[in-house]
Amino acid sequence: MYHLQLKLAALLAWAAAVACEGVVAPVPEARGPGDCPPGGVNYAQLAAKLSKAAQIYQPGSSAFNAAVARWSNLSIPVANVVVVPSTENDIVQTVKFANQNSLPFLTTNGVHGSITTLGAMTHGIEILMSQLNRIAIASDGKTATIGGGVMSKNLTDALWAAGKQTVTGTCECVSYLGPGLGGGHGWLQGRYGLISDQFVSMNVVLANGSLITIDQNSRLSWAMKGAGHNFGIVTSTTSKIYDIQHPNYAMATLIFSGDQVEAVYRVANEQWHSTGKTMPVNLINWSYWFFDPTIDPQKPVIAMYLIQEGVSAVDAAYTQPFLDLGPIINQAVSGTYRDLAAWTGISLDAPPCQKTGNANPRFPIYLKSYNTTAQRLVYNLFAQATTNASTPFSNALFMFEGYPQQGVKAISDDATAFAYRADNLLVAPLLSYKPTGPALDEVAFKLGKQMRQILYEGSGQTSLNTYVNYAYGDETPLAWYGSDAWRQTRLHALKGDFDPTGKFSFYGPIA
Ligand SMILES: Cc1cc2nc3c(=O)[nH]c(=O)nc-3n(C[C@H](O)[C@H](O)[C@H](O)COP(=O)(O)OP(=O)(O)OC[C@H]3O[C@@H](n4cnc5c(N)ncnc54)[C@H](O)[C@@H]3O)c2cc1C
Ligand SMILES: *[C@@H]1O[C@H](CO)[C@@H](O)[C@H](O)[C@H]1NC(C)=O
Ligand SMILES: *[C@@H]1O[C@H](CO)[C@@H](O)[C@H](O)[C@H]1NC(C)=O
Ligand SMILES: *[C@@H]1O[C@H](CO)[C@@H](O)[C@H](O)[C@H]1NC(C)=O
Ligand SMILES: *[C@@H]1O[C@H](CO)[C@@H](O)[C@H](O)[C@H]1NC(C)=O
Ligand SMILES: *[C@@H]1O[C@H](CO)[C@@H](O)[C@H](O)[C@H]1NC(C)=O
Ligand SMILES: *[C@@H]1O[C@H](CO)[C@@H](O)[C@H](O)[C@H]1NC(C)=O
């Protein structure tokens, strides 16, 4: 780690060396007295403008290597330098410096972004948000101001200590804003809506380095709630928070043989519809498919998780229709809201939070309900791909996320850039594999697309609806942001006004 004040001499020497090696693009107009010879970027000029606690990591240093390591090792962004701002003004200065030197820049946070469009960043500055991590609860207890680099778990824990909570991503190792800027799904969305539905105001550094405050009346407010990655660097948000009303949770884990795909998803679909009841606001149903030879050596299992708020055991009314199908395993746990990530395998110490060097592409689709025929077809393909002796995909995970939707649907469909309030289920295969080069990447890509295509054909939908935060990267802006013409027109107009040269166009670019 480099404290600028202490290490300025070393940094100057390094900056000169880097610049003079021609590692970065030539920018003659950036030169001044004492700068490098033509052909370089003088990072010491940036260092001189940053606050005392800001840091700059050099390539080859362990801090640099740690900062650029990502969760998914597929089509990754490449940077020549990592800047770790500690103030809003540091971000302003970094963006202005990057622009003066015609360098691309990319905000990084929890490094779980996996969309392959990130690979278009081939050089430039990574802006690592980790020092902007303040969390301040307002005196009225109704909002909190959350730094642009706050992690999901840190926020949950800080609010919990004050008897509060808000919607965050479910996974402990993603940031608060990475998920939020794309809409943001979380355990509490049935009560309060998406992560981005909580945004009241935010401070944002725009493409030209201007720092602005956005409130509900700002033109950009709509766009930041679903397409936010395209418009700026959020240095902080002020978001709604709530008193904790239901600290307790219980979960039933019911593991079924793959033979029962149709039966399980018939119940998952019809349990509420057939009785004329609506999905209860206190119940989440998630399921995973994975190959675990210790449970079934022949084929992947179906693990159904029924998660209920406010109880110490899941109601029999919820579990019985599934128990009637005869699961292989039936387990129950109870605890609090803060245990949910561990129960579902996405806590800090769980495999999805480790950087293993694996490629982790997903192929998401939003669905209204399960088509049991399509579930069977895609299960068979998943089974073939994960269980054969020579497969690289034996650790693949098929995810089916059924959150309560009341809070999401309470907000009108056109209120934000998030386009998929009308859908109910977030579904995606995650084809985790150890990358060996383009040939295997292509096999994974074809397989994932084939799986998604089966679900798409079974859905009866006429457009591919995907969650930008799970997207592979081959989908189009229509799939990420909605195919309605008015949505595309509005997004393009805003992009033209706020980011005309596409500085924020590495993550699911609108244009
Ligand atoms: C195990 C796992 C669990 C997940 N669970 C959920 C979930 O429960 N709900 C959900 O909605 N999504 C979930 N996701 C998807 C998640 O939304 C994306 O992976 C997201 O990109 C992660 O953000 P990050 O900050 O961790 O990643 P990063 O790669 O650091 O950030 C992703 C992108 O976000 C932008 N960005 C980040 N911070 C800022 C900022 N302060 N200002 C401006 N732009 C910024 C940048 O464009 C960056 O490229 C999950 C992903 C994984 C791998
Ligand atoms: C989150 O909390 C952990 C554990 O307390 C801490 O090490 C880490 O620095 C925090 N991260 C941020 C971004 O605040
Ligand atoms: C990332 O994948 C490439 C192959 O595409 C491999 O050479 C490299 O070692 C991997 N990185 C890590 C950190 O494992
Ligand atoms: C094993 O699975 C891989 C990945 O889907 C596939 O390419 C390969 O053809 C399969 N092999 C056999 C023998 O089925
Ligand atoms: C699972 O959640 C989805 C989305 O809310 C819902 O449509 C479905 O009815 C739920 N199923 C069960 C069994 O709760
Ligand atoms: C379910 O999927 C199958 C296979 O794609 C399709 O033939 C059928 O029409 C779908 N059913 C509905 C109700 O859409
Ligand atoms: C920066 O961009 C914003 C949005 O396009 C614009 O309103 C503002 O005037 C610009 N600032 C400068 C200094 O050019």
Side-chain angles (χ1 to χ4, degrees):
M1 303 244 251
Y2 278 74
H3 264 275
L4 292 180
Q5 251 53 11
L6 302 176
K7 301 282 181 173
L8 194 57
L11 181 65
L12 276 162
W14 161 77
V18 168
C20 303
E21 279 163 6
V23 173
V24 289
V27 191
E29 64 275 13
R31 288 196 298 124
D35 283 1
C36 306
V41 173
N42 187 349
Y43 284 101
Q45 283 184 340
L46 172 61
K49 289 184 174 145
L50 299 182
S51 68
K52 196 170 170 186
Q55 296 170 23
I56 297 183
Y57 297 154
Q58 311 170 21
S61 68
S62 56
F64 178 92
N65 292 340
V68 299
R70 302 190 60 84
W71 173 67
S72 181
N73 179 13
L74 180 68
S75 190
I76 53 175
V78 173
N80 305 105
V81 62
V82 176
V83 174
V84 193
S86 92
T87 64
E88 284 183 325
N89 183 56
D90 289 341
I91 298 182
V92 169
Q93 295 304 331
T94 304
V95 168
K96 287 185 173 166
F97 177 84
N99 289 341
Q100 279 157 13
N101 289 279
S102 301
L103 289 172
F105 54 89
L106 177 71
T107 320
T108 62
N109 215 330
V111 300
H112 274 63
S114 58
I115 191 165
T116 56
T117 56
L118 286 170
M121 166 114 173
T122 57
H123 69 286
I125 302 177
E126 177 177 316
I127 302 175
L128 179 60
M129 298 297 287
S130 56
Q131 290 204 77
L132 277 87
N133 61 357
R134 276 195 63 225
I135 300 168
I137 297 175
S139 54
D140 67 4
K142 292 188 170 146
T143 60
T145 298
I146 301 160
V150 167
M151 294 290 122
S152 181
K153 179 171 170 55
N154 297 48
L155 178 59
T156 298
D157 287 353
L159 294 180
W160 192 268
K164 301 284 178 181
Q165 58 185 174
T166 191
V167 191
T168 69
T170 57
C171 179
E172 290 183 345
C173 54
V174 296
S175 69
Y176 173 65
L177 275 162
L181 294 172
H185 294 286
W187 304 123
L188 295 173
Q189 70 172 56
R191 295 271 173 206
Y192 306 121
L194 300 168
I195 297 173
S196 52
D197 293 332
Q198 316 313 314
F199 297 163
V200 175
S201 67
M202 48 173 60
N203 284 6
V204 179
V205 177
L206 298 175
N208 61 10
S210 296
L211 174 66
I212 62 165
T213 298
I214 292 173
D215 65 18
Q216 305 295 59
N217 301 318
S218 311
R219 277 180 76 211
L220 263 191
S221 171
W222 178 86
M224 295 313 287
K225 301 176 180 185
H229 313 91
N230 268 275
F231 291 97
I233 303 178
V234 181
T235 60
S236 69
T237 75
T238 297
S239 299
K240 292 179 199 162
I241 61 170
Y242 306 91
D243 291 335
I244 299 170
Q245 287 176 20
H246 311 280
N248 294 346
Y249 275 77
M251 182 171 90
T253 302
L254 306 167
I255 299 187
F256 296 92
S257 159
D259 295 334
Q260 293 192 283
V261 167
E262 291 91 340
V264 169
Y265 289 95
R266 195 170 297 122
V267 173
N269 259 347
E270 291 174 2
Q271 180 166 1
W272 312 114
H273 305 174
S274 62
T275 57
K277 291 182 192 142
T278 53
M279 168 77 183
V281 70
N282 63 356
L283 183 68
I284 295 152
N285 66 96
W286 270 22
S287 52
Y288 291 155
W289 296 347
F290 51 86
F291 180 47
D292 180 346
T294 66
I295 308 176
D296 185 338
Q298 308 292 331
K299 56 191 181 306
V301 294
I302 304 165
M304 172 63 69
Y305 304 99
L306 298 173
I307 300 169
Q308 189 178 347
E309 174 198 82
V311 294
S312 53
V314 178
D315 284 0
Y318 298 165
T319 51
Q320 197 58 48
F322 288 102
L323 289 172
D324 290 345
L325 303 177
I328 312 168
I329 293 173
N330 169 16
Q331 283 172 347
V333 283
S334 66
T336 73
Y337 178 79
R338 288 163 75 241
D339 296 316
L340 293 178
W343 294 348
T344 49
I346 46 178
S347 57
L348 287 181
D349 55 0
C353 283
Q354 315 314 316
K355 291 166 208 148
T356 59
N358 276 357
N360 286 317
R362 275 167 298 198
F363 299 85
I365 181 169
Y366 279 116
L367 298 173
K368 294 223 164 33
S369 62
Y370 293 112
N371 174 329
T372 55
T373 310
Q375 291 291 105
R376 165 55 63 193
L377 290 172
V378 78
Y379 175 87
N380 288 350
L381 178 60
F382 184 75
Q384 183 199 325
T386 54
T387 59
N388 81 51
S390 57
T391 183
F393 305 117
S394 56
N395 290 320
L397 182 72
F398 217 126
M399 308 183 292
F400 301 87
E401 304 180 4
Y403 294 100
Q405 292 282 78
Q406 288 86 336
V408 179
K409 291 183 196 274
I411 292 166
S412 84
D413 197 49
D414 60 1
T416 73
F418 179 78
Y420 299 122
R421 291 179 197 276
D423 289 323
N424 297 316
L425 301 160
L426 174 54
V427 173
L430 164 57
L431 299 182
S432 200
Y433 63 94
K434 191 173 166 44
T436 56
L440 180 55
D441 295 343
E442 186 64 19
V443 171
F445 176 58
K446 286 203 170 123
L447 177 61
K449 290 246 291 185
Q450 205 184 341
M451 289 177 179
R452 176 160 63 187
Q453 183 64 20
I454 292 171
L455 293 172
Y456 178 66
E457 284 169 11
S459 73
Q461 297 185 171
T462 52
S463 60
L464 176 64
N465 299 357
T466 60
Y467 184 33
V468 65
N469 280 334
Y470 279 17
Y472 177 84
D474 68 309
E475 308 88 350
T476 63
L478 276 74
W480 300 323
Y481 304 115
S483 58
D484 298 327
W486 71 267
R487 288 188 179 278
Q488 295 294 323
T489 306
R490 188 163 177 179
L491 285 170
H492 276 103
L494 289 165
K495 187 76 171 173
D497 288 349
F498 288 93
D499 184 19
T501 57
K503 308 274 185 216
F504 297 108
S505 291
F506 293 118
Y507 193 92
I510 289 163

